[in-house]
Amino acid sequence: MARIVIKPSMKGCRKWAGGLSVAALSAVALLSGCVAIPDQAQLVHNGNIIQNCMAPVASSNSPVGLDAEAFSLTTWNIYKGKLQGWDRDLQILGEHSDVLLIQEAHLGPELERWLKKEELDWVMAQAFNLRGSWSGVLTGSRAAQQNPCMQRTSEPYLRLPKTALISYFPIQGQAESLLVVNVHGVNFTFGSADLDSQFQAVQKVLDNHPGPVVVAGDFNTWSNARMAVIRRLAEQNGLSAVEFQGEPAIRFGHRIDHVYYRGLAPLQSRVTEVESSDHHPLTVTFKVD
């Protein structure tokens, strides 16, 4: 397995940007650096690039499986670690989470050091490379992940990909594994068709899994039509929404971060208010139902 070695160049930037619209070029300019998109879907497992849907080598310190009686899951859009204090908040969340779902993860040296220090088994679905570091969704866990797969959907106007990361976790004493889908929803569209297409791909994965399921992340459900996409997914797949007390991220009057589940029972849930991101983390403790 090859280590990640990225050497972006301005020549590559110009080539990638050549087919973009004026609006997309403006967005790239706001990123203040070179952005590169991989030609094929790629995963990073504990710092090593692996093929999509290939079973990674389990970390030697990973437990056999999650506790069927109680395991905790946190989802958080980390805002690429742009704001001060994200590392402190991530440390606190990580100490109380068996499974950690991060959207807008930016795999810079600070985040890599933290993942290694915490001895997490982690997988990242690469969306794009910015100034030499990958960005995308990342799932870290105390238990080893099995057969991770990623799905990639391009924003129709900005052309930057949004990703979904599919992971399977063994559960102690259970024949069926836990399917966890970490989603960053397509955002910059006028309608909901692109978001619907993204979640239809997720549904195909759910259709083939008879065991417990969690679908969570930043769904970007900032309109009634977008929320209807998620409700259809839930109805068609027997998913229930976790209810939270607190102040989750709201856009245009709609909650955009969600946790849906099947085959599990939520024991407790909470919203952690932070100033290190424009999203507040959501944490749920589940038991196998």
Side-chain angles (χ1 to χ4, degrees):
M1 298 181 184
R3 290 288 298 176
I4 305 172
V5 180
I6 304 298
K7 297 181 179 179
S9 67
M10 290 310 296
K11 181 179 179 181
C13 267
R14 287 193 296 269
K15 181 179 179 181
W16 179 81
L20 293 178
S21 65
V22 173
L25 284 170
S26 299
V28 172
L30 289 174
L31 293 175
S32 300
C34 178
V35 176
I37 300 175
D39 294 332
Q40 297 179 342
Q42 289 187 149
L43 296 173
V44 184
H45 176 238
N46 294 343
N48 298 309
I49 294 178
I50 64 173
Q51 295 178 358
N52 196 23
C53 301
M54 186 181 88
V57 178
S59 301
S60 60
N61 56 359
S62 297
V64 175
L66 298 172
D67 187 347
E69 293 302 313
F71 67 88
S72 59
L73 179 144
T74 296
T75 179
W76 185 28
N77 183 319
I78 200 171
Y79 196 49
K80 298 184 178 67
K82 293 180 179 179
L83 302 181
Q84 290 186 348
W86 68 267
D87 49 348
R88 179 196 63 241
D89 291 332
L90 186 62
Q91 177 68 37
I92 296 171
L93 292 168
E95 290 173 355
H96 300 89
S97 302
D98 298 301
V99 181
L100 184 62
L101 312 183
I102 302 176
Q103 302 86 49
E104 291 196 32
H106 187 63
L107 196 60
E110 297 86 355
L111 181 55
E112 278 208 270
R113 281 196 295 268
W114 183 83
L115 291 166
K116 184 175 182 179
K117 177 177 68 72
E118 292 299 306
E119 299 183 334
L120 295 180
D121 185 71
W122 62 271
V123 177
M124 182 183 215
Q126 299 174 344
F128 56 87
N129 186 279
L130 172 62
R131 296 193 298 273
S133 296
W134 288 107
S135 292
V137 300
L138 185 150
T139 298
S141 58
R142 303 293 173 188
Q145 302 178 55
Q146 301 175 336
N147 300 94
C149 295
M150 72 171 286
Q151 297 173 345
R152 188 170 64 169
T153 305
S154 293
E155 293 278 1
Y157 302 115
L158 300 185
R159 309 312 300 168
L160 293 177
K162 288 294 196 297
T163 53
L165 178 57
I166 298 146
S167 302
Y168 299 87
F169 296 90
I171 303 174
Q172 297 173 14
Q174 302 291 316
E176 298 291 348
S177 60
L178 169 69
L179 166 62
V180 176
V181 187
N182 179 1
V183 183
H184 191 193
V186 172
N187 191 22
F188 299 103
T189 65
F190 288 111
S192 60
D194 294 281
L195 184 70
D196 190 32
S197 178
Q198 184 182 22
F199 276 93
Q200 284 180 20
V202 170
Q203 179 167 330
K204 292 179 181 178
V205 177
L206 302 182
D207 288 343
N208 294 319
H209 185 72
V213 167
V214 173
V215 182
D218 174 7
F219 294 176
N220 278 313
T221 46
W222 42 260
S223 69
N224 289 333
R226 285 170 162 267
M227 197 60 230
V229 169
I230 307 306
R231 292 197 180 101
R232 284 197 300 271
L233 176 81
E235 291 171 0
Q236 292 169 0
N237 293 274
L239 302 176
S240 299
V242 175
E243 298 297 329
F244 292 92
Q245 300 295 323
E247 295 294 333
I250 301 294
R251 301 291 186 272
F252 304 109
H254 295 271
R255 181 179 295 182
I256 59 176
D257 298 311
H258 303 273
V259 179
Y260 283 81
Y261 66 94
R262 180 180 77 196
L264 301 166
L267 302 177
Q268 59 182 11
S269 62
R270 70 176 184 275
V271 178
T272 303
E273 295 189 27
V274 298
E275 296 181 354
S276 58
S277 172
D278 57 348
H279 293 249
H280 293 324
L282 308 180
T283 300
V284 189
T285 301
F286 288 108
K287 69 173 293 185
V288 177
D289 190 3

